[in-house]
Amino acid sequence: MTWAPERISSLQLSRSTPLQLLRSLGSGPRGLVESDAERRLVRYGENVLPARRVPSLPIIFLRSLRDPFTAVLAALALVSTLVAAWATASVIAVLVVVSCALRAAGEHRADRSAAGLRELVASTATVLRRATAEAAPVSREIPVGEVVPGDVVRLAPGDLVPADLRLLRATGLTMHQAALTGESAPVAKYPVDQPSARSAPPVARASPAEARAYDDGAQECPVESAYALDDQDFDRPEVCFQGSSVASGSGTGVVIATGADTRFARADRLPEHDRRTTAFDRSVHGVSWILIRFMLLTPPLVLMANAALRGRGLETLPFAVAVAVGLTPEMLPVIVTTTLARGASALARERRVIVKRLPALHDLGAVDVVCLDKTGTLTQDRPVLDRALDASGTPDDSVLHWAAVNSLWTVRLAELPSADALDEALLDAAEERFAEGLDALEYDAVAALPFDPVRRLSTAVLATPHRLGHHTLVVKGAVEDVLERCLLTDDERARTAALADRLAADGLRVLAVALAERPATGRPFTAKDERGLTLKGLVALRDATADTAAAALAALADRGIEVKVLTGDHPGTAARACRDLGLAPGHVVTAASFDALDDTELAELADSSTVFARCSPAHKARLVRVLRERGHVTGFVGDGANDLPALRASDVAICPPEAVDVARETADVVLAARDLTSLDHAVVVGRASGAAIAGYLRITLSSNLGNVIAMLTAGLLLPFLPMLPSQVLVQNLCFDAAQLAFAYERPRAAALRLPLALRPREVLASVTGFGVLNAAADLATFAVLVWAVSDTRAQPAFHAGWFTENLLTQALVMVLLRTGRGGGVPTTAGVLALTGLLLPLTPLGPLIGMAALPLAYYPLLALVLALYAAALHRGARLARRTGTP
């Protein structure tokens, strides 16, 4: 019968021996026949991760229209068209198009840059294939995309695993699975004859009824091609997963899943990983929706009030729309997009940091908690020697010497292409500590037994110097396994084990070193000779910290950002790395200790703790989520498939450029290098951008709200409209053009010290206070105009006086309420003030219904403006002192 993966039950794969598994897969130890492999490739597709298409520029442009404020502006443009306010409609439409175009261009450029980082998980794979069923198998190197289920794959040191495999044979095989689990230490892999429930491989999922039918022999069990894996599946010794790499040893395995069916690919499609609302959505969108409600209420209120008090009908509809537009910060989408795009462009150009989602730059400025994994960010994912001790715990360099001798000769005589990370660390330490280094010719090596993950030892056999006919065994490995083979009393063994436990609790990886002398024999040395050893001592290694991590952590702390370490590592290992970097770990919380807590209890624990160890992907995501629900703006730095849930649960998903494909595609920000220094630079730019947006909102909303209150009040008191729709439009155009300067403003140092919190209620409270102050100045101007303007030219002069005063007060607001420096804001405000003074005197004034003002008006206006400026200055100082955004 032709093999089909849809007809393999979970019970069959999890309970089968290697031979039964091969039969189930329609394969064998000699590999597939070429013709069968070709048929499978056609049927099941190439072994590649599902590609993500970069959205086209028009698609991103259309998505930009979904922004709530942009949508309301578009609705106002439509209403303006319906009431024949063509100029207003045209201006708003231009603003909407410009904003969406800027945003689309920035995000499209970032998407293309990120797509350029995409790499294949592996480029080639070594498989066994046969030309015909009777032909001998040939080891071939083929493109990884041509690997199919049932292929027999050979693994060597440094190889990337091309698909999910179940091991058939292995020799000293260890795998790096940091991309999947975050664990920095290599994991031992070896075949098992009968998988236990815990070590069952990834398989297709069958229903209970289908499983019973299969067990009864009634039928072959049809199932969906899906995994039934949890976080512990990566510990299964007989399964190697796509996305991992060979640290040491060699192995042969049969492919059980390819392409989209691998565990690596499926991690990116879990439905519970959907991104939540971000800080940008909660802040700018929160302000926007409150304004939208006011804007929707304003036209009906204006119409009803004018109808009730002045008997005016639909002729006031254009004015009502103009008032709604006057309340609107029309330039908000343009300012936000321009500010964020400029910041993202500067980061890409100067720091090589790619911001894929422009609002994420604002979120970076608001981040007050950064969660990260230890491996690859705080540490270099390589060990270094911490200390070498004799059995009593006294420093002893001879222990390091013998450990390095073991490493050197097991690598050479076992013909391993390179030393594993622990051996490299020991050899490097010996090279530094001993002036003469390690001379390979110092000893006459006889044999070597390489590391075996089952016995957890490696042995080098040397000719004993100056003792002809004797050999010295140098054994290095796991403490308990070495002690088991040493000639020690129970007390000695217990003391040494306790010493090793203390070192391990301090976050160190501990190896024992022992020696034995044997008479030379002609037979090969085997594991049976590793008995009756004399304990030499212990070597302890720690994770090498990243060169820039300590400085970066200090910089983040200075900026008011808490760092939380969420790792799958041992609690002691995580705490040790933090202490080495100057980050106080406090009480290390293990995932098992908070599983039973509800979200409220966990949020309190997460707030007060720094290091969380033994975390699965689900634990990391839950911690990030409860921190966000507690009010924190969180960033998560991750680089592996195991980090995807937490990346998607955070406000800002951050990854280094070496991150796996799916993590880079999920991330909002791709850093310049695998360190936190570039993150600090990105935070600074994010805060600068956020400060510019917050300053713009406060200034424009204060001015707009004051004008709207004054216009509504005057509209009810005057026998004519206080300002014509065309005059409102020209005033808005002048103010909008001037406000573009805020996008180029540089924030003051104070704005960069702490996370930027743009809270809608606080912003609106500040805006209301300054808006009422502005309205008071407008109404005082109204009183001046009543006194200064004669009845014969009341309406045009009123319009001109109010137009001039509005632009002058807006210029004062721009200067006195600004929070940054530069950007040409004072110059732009000066041009705005001159426009307000001179435009009514130009030929354009009469065209839009304005007349020249009497000279007596200007001294009184100057007095009103002076009082307004003094009150504004005092209010601004008070706001800065209280920290109001």
Side-chain angles (χ1 to χ4, degrees):
M1 181 182 66
T2 302
W3 174 81
E6 295 90 346
R7 302 184 65 79
I8 299 178
S9 80
S10 58
L11 298 178
Q12 184 176 352
L13 285 182
S14 62
R15 296 177 181 177
S16 61
T17 65
L19 184 58
Q20 291 170 336
L21 174 64
L22 287 169
R23 289 175 178 170
S24 301
L25 294 169
S27 183
R30 300 193 303 157
L32 295 175
V33 177
E34 289 286 359
S35 57
D36 188 15
E38 291 172 1
R39 284 194 296 270
R40 295 186 186 203
L41 183 61
V42 171
R43 181 171 182 179
Y44 302 111
E46 291 189 339
N47 176 38
V48 294
L49 291 175
R52 295 202 178 183
R53 296 178 58 188
V54 176
S56 65
L57 201 56
I59 294 297
I60 301 177
F61 181 89
L62 292 175
R63 288 178 183 173
S64 301
L65 293 173
R66 294 184 301 185
D67 175 85
F69 207 81
T70 303
V72 169
L73 284 177
L76 283 174
L78 179 61
V79 172
S80 300
T81 302
L82 294 176
V83 298
W86 305 110
T88 302
S90 300
V91 170
I92 295 176
V94 168
L95 292 175
V96 168
V97 171
V98 168
S99 170
C100 292
L102 286 172
R103 184 180 304 179
E107 295 190 7
H108 183 65
R109 183 167 55 249
D111 282 340
R112 293 187 63 181
S113 299
L117 296 172
R118 186 177 177 89
E119 302 168 350
L120 289 174
V121 174
S123 56
T124 60
T126 302
V127 300
L128 290 180
R129 293 277 179 89
R130 292 173 289 158
T132 64
E134 295 77 20
V138 176
S139 180
R140 288 187 50 202
E141 192 168 292
I142 64 171
V144 69
E146 297 179 10
V147 173
V148 296
D151 256 328
V152 175
V153 176
R154 286 181 172 174
L155 300 174
D159 283 353
L160 295 171
V161 178
D164 289 353
L165 316 172
R166 179 169 165 187
L167 287 173
L168 304 175
R169 294 183 298 278
T171 303
L173 183 63
T174 61
M175 307 293 298
H176 284 302
Q177 294 188 158
L180 300 169
T181 66
E183 291 277 3
S184 57
V187 178
K189 296 289 184 178
Y190 49 89
V192 295
D193 289 334
Q194 189 72 34
S196 64
R198 184 177 180 277
S199 65
V203 294
R205 182 182 293 114
S207 69
E210 292 169 332
R212 284 193 298 273
Y214 171 78
D215 284 343
D216 294 340
Q219 65 180 48
E220 287 191 296
C221 189
V223 298
E224 58 177 329
S225 180
Y227 273 132
L229 287 175
D230 56 28
D231 299 324
Q232 282 69 46
D233 292 320
F234 294 117
D235 294 333
R236 294 174 175 172
E238 77 279 11
V239 182
C240 298
F241 296 93
Q242 184 186 49
S244 57
S245 62
V246 179
S248 63
S250 60
T252 301
V254 60
V255 175
I256 57 177
T258 60
D261 290 328
T262 63
R263 183 68 172 88
F264 185 69
R266 286 184 174 274
D268 190 36
R269 302 202 305 273
L270 300 181
E272 64 268 25
H273 294 171
D274 290 339
R275 183 178 295 285
R276 297 172 181 267
T277 304
T278 66
F280 181 83
D281 301 326
R282 296 193 299 271
S283 57
V284 175
H285 289 186
V287 173
S288 299
W289 278 114
I290 294 174
L291 289 174
I292 286 166
R293 296 186 184 100
F294 278 117
M295 289 161 50
L296 294 177
L297 287 173
T298 299
L301 287 176
V302 172
L303 288 173
M304 288 187 293
N306 276 274
L309 298 178
R310 292 292 176 182
R312 299 169 186 151
L314 289 178
E315 67 270 15
T316 59
L317 181 58
F319 174 72
V321 173
V323 171
V325 173
L327 180 63
T328 309
E330 301 99 327
M331 293 296 289
L332 177 61
V334 177
I335 295 290
V336 168
T337 305
T338 302
T339 303
L340 297 179
R342 287 186 69 248
S345 178
L347 279 174
R349 183 177 61 256
E350 299 169 10
R351 303 292 180 182
R352 295 185 296 112
V353 173
I354 297 173
V355 179
K356 295 171 56 183
R357 186 177 60 87
L358 285 183
L361 189 58
H362 168 275
D363 294 340
L364 270 177
V367 161
D368 60 347
V369 174
V370 169
C371 301
L372 47 83
D373 199 347
K374 174 183 70 66
T375 306
T377 51
L378 302 183
T379 63
Q380 299 182 41
D381 198 16
R382 68 176 181 86
V384 293
L385 180 73
D386 186 82
R387 66 191 78 168
L389 308 172
D390 64 16
S392 65
T394 304
D396 187 349
D397 283 349
S398 68
V399 179
L400 170 61
H401 172 83
W402 287 113
V405 167
N406 170 282
S407 297
L408 177 66
W409 286 112
T410 51
V411 171
R412 290 198 175 194
L413 294 186
E415 297 182 351
L416 299 176
S418 62
D420 70 10
L422 295 178
D423 286 331
E424 285 182 354
L426 292 171
L427 291 171
D428 289 344
E431 191 73 26
E432 293 175 5
R433 188 160 301 185
F434 305 124
E436 69 279 5
L438 282 176
D439 187 355
L441 301 179
E442 181 180 354
Y443 301 98
D444 184 10
V446 176
L449 302 176
F451 177 82
D452 184 332
V454 177
R455 81 183 205 286
R456 302 198 299 172
L457 300 172
S458 64
T459 300
V461 184
L462 314 173
T464 305
H466 313 301
R467 293 201 64 186
L468 190 63
H470 287 77
H471 291 158
T472 299
L473 277 66
V474 185
V475 180
K476 177 179 94 274
V479 174
E480 55 269 36
D481 293 276
V482 173
L483 293 182
E484 182 183 304
R485 292 163 170 81
C486 287
L487 295 173
L488 297 170
T489 65
D490 290 343
D491 287 344
E492 291 172 333
R493 185 174 284 106
R495 282 197 301 271
T496 305
L499 173 61
D501 289 342
R502 289 196 299 273
L503 294 173
D506 195 31
L508 301 175
R509 301 180 195 173
V510 187
L511 299 174
V513 181
L515 304 178
E517 192 172 308
R518 299 281 189 269
T521 63
R523 65 175 178 81
F525 282 88
T526 67
K528 294 180 180 179
D529 294 300
E530 299 168 334
R531 298 286 176 184
L533 308 177
T534 300
L535 181 66
K536 188 64 180 172
L538 306 175
V539 289
L541 302 101
R542 56 181 170 79
D543 286 339
T545 56
D547 294 336
T548 59
L553 288 176
L556 291 174
D558 288 342
R559 301 198 187 282
I561 296 177
E562 291 184 71
V563 173
K564 309 285 185 184
V565 180
L566 317 182
T567 179
D569 271 352
H570 185 277
T573 304
R576 178 56 185 257
C578 291
R579 284 195 298 270
D580 289 344
L581 293 169
L583 178 66
H587 172 67
V588 179
V589 180
T590 59
S593 66
F594 65 73
D595 272 335
L597 300 180
D598 61 30
D599 284 356
T600 302
E601 294 170 328
L602 180 58
E604 294 177 359
L605 180 64
D607 225 357
S608 59
S609 304
T610 300
V611 181
F612 300 82
R614 296 299 189 195
C615 290
S616 69
H619 289 130
K620 294 179 183 180
R622 187 184 176 207
L623 284 166
V624 171
R625 178 175 57 81
V626 297
L627 283 168
R628 292 179 72 248
E629 290 174 352
R630 196 170 173 83
H632 293 289
V633 180
T634 61
F636 185 85
V637 184
D639 60 357
N642 63 307
D643 294 322
L644 288 177
L647 286 169
R648 287 177 171 162
S650 63
D651 287 293
V652 191
I654 308 161
C655 77
E658 300 88 353
V660 297
D661 240 11
V662 289
R664 282 200 308 270
E665 289 170 344
T666 300
D668 302 314
V669 178
V670 181
L671 300 178
R674 189 183 279 272
D675 66 64
L676 298 178
T677 304
S678 54
L679 174 59
D680 179 57
H681 295 311
V683 166
V684 170
V685 174
R687 289 185 183 179
S689 301
I693 294 170
Y696 161 78
L697 275 173
R698 186 168 61 139
I699 290 170
T700 190
L701 291 179
S702 300
S703 179
N704 288 0
L705 181 62
N707 288 341
V708 167
I709 293 173
M711 278 196 288
L712 290 176
T713 305
L716 297 177
L717 298 176
L718 292 174
F720 51 82
L721 294 177
M723 195 174 287
L724 299 178
S726 59
Q727 296 163 356
V728 174
L729 174 63
V730 172
Q731 175 186 286
N732 287 346
L733 278 175
C734 294
F735 193 30
D736 290 343
Q739 290 173 102
L740 264 178
F742 290 115
Y744 299 88
E745 195 176 35
R746 298 189 309 275
R748 299 183 187 277
L752 306 179
R753 291 193 190 116
L754 295 173
L756 177 69
L758 187 62
R759 299 181 180 91
R761 289 189 179 182
E762 292 180 2
V763 171
L764 291 176
S766 171
V767 164
T768 301
F770 287 113
V772 170
L773 188 62
N774 183 274
D778 286 350
L779 293 175
T781 304
F782 169 69
V784 170
L785 286 169
V786 169
W787 175 83
V789 177
S790 65
D791 292 339
T792 57
R793 50 178 183 173
Q795 186 168 339
F798 240 97
H799 293 161
W802 212 332
F803 179 89
T804 297
E805 185 267 347
N806 276 337
L807 290 190
L808 290 174
T809 54
Q810 287 170 341
L812 284 175
V813 167
M814 288 181 63
V815 173
L816 295 178
L817 294 189
R818 64 190 297 235
T819 57
R821 299 170 297 158
V825 172
T827 303
T828 306
V831 173
L832 182 65
L834 284 175
T835 302
L837 287 169
L838 300 178
L839 192 144
L841 306 178
T842 66
L844 181 61
L847 291 178
I848 57 175
M850 292 191 292
L853 288 158
L855 292 178
Y857 168 72
Y858 292 102
L860 294 173
L861 175 62
L863 177 62
V864 170
L865 292 176
L867 294 173
Y868 173 63
L872 198 62
H873 178 67
R874 184 175 179 81
R877 290 185 60 185
L878 179 63
R880 282 194 288 269
R881 194 159 50 243
T882 58
T884 305

